[in-house]
Every structure is written in structure tokens, then in C-alpha cells.
Amino acid sequence: MKHVGENVVRIEAAALQVLADRIAGPMAAAFNRAVELLYGCSGRVVVTGMGKSGIIARKIAATLNSTGTPALFMHPVEAVHGDLGMVVRGDAVVALSASGETEEILRLLATLKRLQVPLIAMTCDEIYAESAERSVRAIHATRSTLAEAAEVALDCSVAAEACSLGLAPTASTTSMLALGDALAMALAEKRGFKEEDFANLHPGGKLGKRLARVESLMHTGDAVPRVTPRTTMPDVIYEMSRKKLGVTAVVDNEKLVGVISDGDLRRLLELRGKDALDLVAGECMTRNPRTIAGNEFAATALALMEEKKITSLAVVDESGKLEGIVHLHDLWGTEMV
């Protein structure tokens, strides 16, 4: 049984290698044309497919959505019973069909043509093949109905399915999925999709926690320990003890001018003894402390804390106004600590 499993993976891996070579070679122009069509789409990308291809279509739509391209899945059977109304001018359709002759998909073509919606087909037609005689790549003259009807036809053909009977969609659906991922990633790259864009689309779950912003985790308002440069040290100690963050910000007209930490207090007491209590915050604070902006990632805050061996950071805006304090403990829930 382990050899069966191994063979399945090897067959599918080989199919992906052939697909990659096809995208790099004979299908390069068609692939780039598909990317341009989807990039220029002013509406949504509607992905459709039947059976196993439909399951792959759902995943492709989900990947497009999560990487900045608005998309939805349309079931072809439901479409001919009313759901085709979800397709409007300005949309683009990506249709998946291994044979290119899936009846439920072909029934959509007339309406799609009437709406003048661009159609990208993903089929296993073997549209592109290398001529053994001339060592050049040629387009097959006979193509499926779906591939013929499409503005762009993309080839997901495989030498064989990984199923021992050669029947169950395995290598072909893997190739379809990989081709969908390739389109989505090429689109994301073309759109200039960045890490912060990804974070905005993934606010929930473990991924959302890891991409959390400082402003969503920091202490704000009355929870922020703050004193002025003229605050006496007994009052500084009281403020730090009351807010329980092990640090206090020193502000002057709402602007951060320094911080005093537990470590600063210990070093001051070692150096000055009880005379330290006669000083004011402005004489004891660390000037020009390390700060961070609220729109930075929590991961950036953690990296700064580790670099400087500190447990908290003051959060300020562009003018230096104090907005909050983020503590190492606040990062525990992000699963980074």
C-alpha cells in the first residue's frame, strides 16, 4: 500500500512539472492573456465547475478572494435555474471542465456570450503539445467546445490519472488547482498585493493573530501610565504600580518625551538611595525611548522588544503624540510568544 501512495504522489508531481513547463513555454502567452483579462476585470471573477472540478473551482475562488481579487463560485446547475443572475457585465468567468464538454457548463455559454463576459477555460484538452517531428510546439486543431468558446483556453492535461483504474480525477484536479493558484499569485503580484493587504483580509484565526496590528493590542486611555516631567518620584512609582505595566510614559503637552521603567527605578535606587525620591520624572527618565506606530504589525513590535531586551514600547503618532503602550504580555495571545 505504501507503494500505491508513493506512486500517486509521484504521478501528480510529474503532472505538475509538465504543467510548469507548459506555462513557461507553449502556454505562456495564453497564461499571460488570462492574467491580463482578470486584472482588467472591473467586476468579480466568477469561477464555475461541476463535480470534482467544482470543488477545485470553489478553492480557486477562495484563493482569489484572499489575495485581493474579488471572486465567487457559481454552481452551473443552480446557475441555469436562476443563479446566472449573479453574472453581470464587467465580470469575468473562469470555467473548469476536464473534458471541456460538461453539459452543465456548456448550457451557460449562450448567456455568457450575450453578456459579453470574458471566458477563461481550464480543460484537459491537450491543447498544447510538442511536435516530435519538428521539435516545435503546436496548438491542436481539435479542441473541446468549452475551449473553442473561450477567449483564453488553458491546458491542464495530464499523461495519466493517479488512480490505478485511470478513472478517478486525481492528477487532473491537482493540475487544475495548481493552475488556479498560479493565476491567483500572478494577479496578486501584478496588483502589488502586500503583507498588510493580506493581514486586512485575514483578521480571524491563527493567521489573523499573527498579523495583528499594534493598535489592536496596545493599552490606551486611562490604562496607559503617564506622568509629566515635573511629577515627583513617589507619584511616578504610584502610577507605575497602579497601571501594572512596569513602565510609565513621560509626556509634555501630550507628546512623549521619555519613559521610566522598573529597571530604571532599580538602577536609580542603587545609585542614589532614598535621595532618589527627591527627584522628578524629568531627571530620571530615559530620553528618546524606542517607540512604534500603531499601524505596525505586532510581529514588528516583538522584534524590537527582543532586539532592545525590553518588555514594552510606547506607541506614538507621526507628531510624537502618545497613543498607547504595548507590552510583551499583550503579544501572548498572538501565538508569537
Side-chain angles (χ1 to χ4, degrees), residues 9 42 45 80 101 117 149 163 176 271 280 299 307 315 330-331:
V9 175
S42 60
V45 177
V80 296
E101 302 294 346
V117 174
C163 166
M176 277 185 174
L271 181 66
V280 295
E307 177 189 353
V315 184
D330 302 324
L331 304 180

Side-chain angles (χ1 to χ4, degrees), residues 140-158:
H140 278 237
T142 57
R143 300 203 292 181
S144 68
T145 305
L146 180 60
E148 283 291 341
E151 277 72 17
V152 180
L154 299 177
D155 182 354
C156 301
S157 60
V158 296

Side-chain angles (χ1 to χ4, degrees), residues 22-258:
R22 195 179 297 140
I23 293 173
M27 200 168 70
F31 181 85
N32 291 335
R33 174 63 177 150
V35 172
E36 291 294 336
L37 276 176
L38 297 178
Y39 180 73
C41 173
S42 60
R44 299 156 303 174
V45 177
V46 181
V47 193
T48 187
M50 191 69 192
K52 304 297 188 297
S53 296
I55 295 171
I56 300 302
R58 288 181 186 273
K59 167 57 170 62
I60 293 173
T63 301
L64 288 168
N65 279 321
S66 70
T67 52
T69 299
L72 54 86
F73 170 75
M74 179 178 69
H75 195 291
V77 174
E78 299 296 335
V80 296
H81 291 281
D83 280 4
L84 196 50
M86 68 176 64
V87 183
V88 298
R89 292 182 188 269
D91 290 347
V93 173
V94 179
L96 282 63
S97 169
S99 67
E101 302 294 346
T102 306
E103 181 182 350
E104 293 85 354
I105 298 288
L106 298 185
R107 288 161 70 186
L108 308 177
L109 294 180
T111 301
L112 297 180
K113 292 299 181 183
R114 179 174 54 80
L115 291 173
Q116 298 180 343
V117 174
L119 174 63
I120 298 170
M122 292 171 57
T123 69
C124 295
D125 271 35
E126 293 189 66
I127 299 169
Y128 300 90
E130 188 166 1
S131 169
E133 295 80 12
R134 294 179 296 167
S135 188
V136 295
R137 293 172 175 86
I139 299 179
H140 278 237
T142 57
R143 300 203 292 181
S144 68
T145 305
L146 180 60
E148 283 291 341
E151 277 72 17
V152 180
L154 299 177
D155 182 354
C156 301
S157 60
V158 296
E161 296 288 7
C163 166
S164 59
L165 300 176
L167 299 175
T170 46
S172 59
T173 48
T174 298
S175 293
M176 277 185 174
L177 179 59
L179 184 54
D181 286 343
L183 285 172
M185 295 306 103
L187 272 170
E189 185 78 18
K190 192 172 180 64
R191 293 183 192 284
F193 195 72
K194 296 182 175 61
E195 189 178 32
E196 52 265 34
D197 302 316
F198 196 82
N200 290 335
L201 295 177
H202 297 76
K206 184 175 181 180
L207 182 59
K209 291 178 181 178
R210 294 186 65 84
L211 295 174
R213 305 281 182 167
V214 168
E215 60 194 357
S216 69
L217 301 171
M218 68 185 184
H219 297 265
T220 59
D222 291 338
V224 178
R226 67 179 76 203
V227 297
T228 71
R230 296 166 295 281
T231 303
T232 62
M233 288 309 295
D235 289 336
V236 169
I237 294 171
Y238 175 72
E239 178 73 355
M240 292 173 66
S241 299
R242 190 164 64 93
K243 301 297 176 65
K244 299 179 180 178
L245 289 179
V247 68
T248 185
V250 183
V251 295
D252 190 12
N253 292 325
E254 297 299 319
K255 289 196 173 182
L256 181 74
V257 294

Side-chain angles (χ1 to χ4, degrees), residues 209 212-214 216-220 245 298 305 311-313 315 324-337:
K209 291 178 181 178
R213 305 281 182 167
V214 168
S216 69
L217 301 171
M218 68 185 184
H219 297 265
T220 59
L245 289 179
M305 291 180 192
T311 59
S312 59
L313 285 168
V315 184
I325 287 181
V326 61
H327 194 277
L328 183 63
H329 293 168
D330 302 324
L331 304 180
W332 283 356
T334 65
E335 301 181 21
M336 290 186 297
V337 181

